Amino acid sequence: MLKFIHLLLFIMNSKVIVLADETTKSVVNVSNNKPEYGYIRVQQVRTLVDDNGFLRRKVITALSPGITKELIEMNFFPGQQLDGKIVIEESLEPFNKDMPEKDLKIAGETGILCTYAGLPIYRRTKFSFDAASPDILIKHDNGDELRAAYHANKSNAALSPNEEFSLEG
């Protein structure tokens, strides 16, 4: 049964799609600091199980770095479908020691950091040609704090004025 569920979730994930930069329309984007390095941006719609056990369809994106010349030679194009998977990796250690804040896992629009045992959780996504690559997830343990923030945001949103609707004539 477990193999069937794994197969079902595998089938429910879309192909990985190559994206063009919205501003430059370029697929291969060059690093500002080191032009010999660049990246492509990819996207996949994945079927994931959320913290409440609900199956959800989520759009996941990743930047795939490489040597600019080689990325250009690979002839990626917008909308190109790639076999593989965008993998989610979480860690209690920063992925980027120089800029650890870059990969902090923040809960939605609350601005609250997800933690485990008081330590921040770091999250990144990366493309793999291996569609069976597993995600590495860490379940946060500050759920009460996050629920309180979500409820506060919901209450504030319900009370905020809406410019599109007014009782005034």
Side-chain angles (χ1 to χ4, degrees):
M1 180 67 169
L2 186 57
K3 283 185 178 183
F4 174 75
I5 292 172
H6 178 70
L7 178 62
L8 180 64
L9 291 178
F10 175 74
I11 292 170
M12 294 170 61
N13 293 332
S14 73
K15 294 272 190 176
V16 176
I17 306 295
V18 176
L19 302 175
D21 183 270
E22 290 180 10
T23 305
T24 66
K25 307 298 182 213
S26 176
V27 170
V28 176
N29 300 280
V30 180
S31 168
N32 291 335
N33 301 343
K34 297 181 181 179
E36 63 271 20
Y37 296 106
Y39 63 90
I40 65 167
R41 183 179 168 130
V42 292
Q43 172 182 296
Q44 182 179 35
V45 179
R46 298 257 324 264
T47 302
L48 302 169
V49 179
D50 70 13
D51 290 340
N52 296 317
F54 282 83
L55 282 174
R56 298 277 187 156
R57 301 285 286 161
K58 296 283 185 177
V59 175
I60 309 291
T61 61
L63 301 180
S64 290
I67 296 171
T68 302
K69 181 179 180 230
E70 291 177 2
L71 291 171
I72 292 169
E73 289 171 354
M74 290 181 208
N75 293 318
F76 290 111
F77 58 88
Q80 181 179 0
Q81 294 186 2
L82 304 174
D83 290 326
K85 177 182 178 182
I86 296 180
V87 179
I88 302 168
E89 291 183 332
E90 294 180 351
S91 171
L92 297 177
E93 296 289 325
F95 297 107
N96 184 332
K97 304 286 187 208
D98 295 331
M99 296 184 342
E101 67 282 353
K102 177 179 172 243
D103 296 315
L104 288 170
K105 182 178 177 182
I106 306 295
E109 296 178 15
T110 66
I112 296 176
L113 180 63
C114 294
T115 61
Y116 177 79
L119 297 171
I121 298 173
Y122 297 91
R123 181 183 180 114
R124 71 177 174 185
T125 54
K126 67 180 190 177
F127 171 67
S128 172
F129 282 107
D130 180 2
S133 292
D135 292 329
I136 301 170
L137 304 173
I138 298 173
K139 187 167 177 60
H140 61 81
D141 62 5
N142 59 329
D144 291 339
E145 178 184 12
L146 298 175
R147 276 187 286 284
Y150 281 123
H151 290 302
N153 281 352
K154 268 178 128 173
S155 298
N156 290 341
L159 298 175
S160 63
N162 183 339
E163 293 179 16
E164 294 179 16
F165 178 79
S166 173
L167 293 176
E168 297 175 13

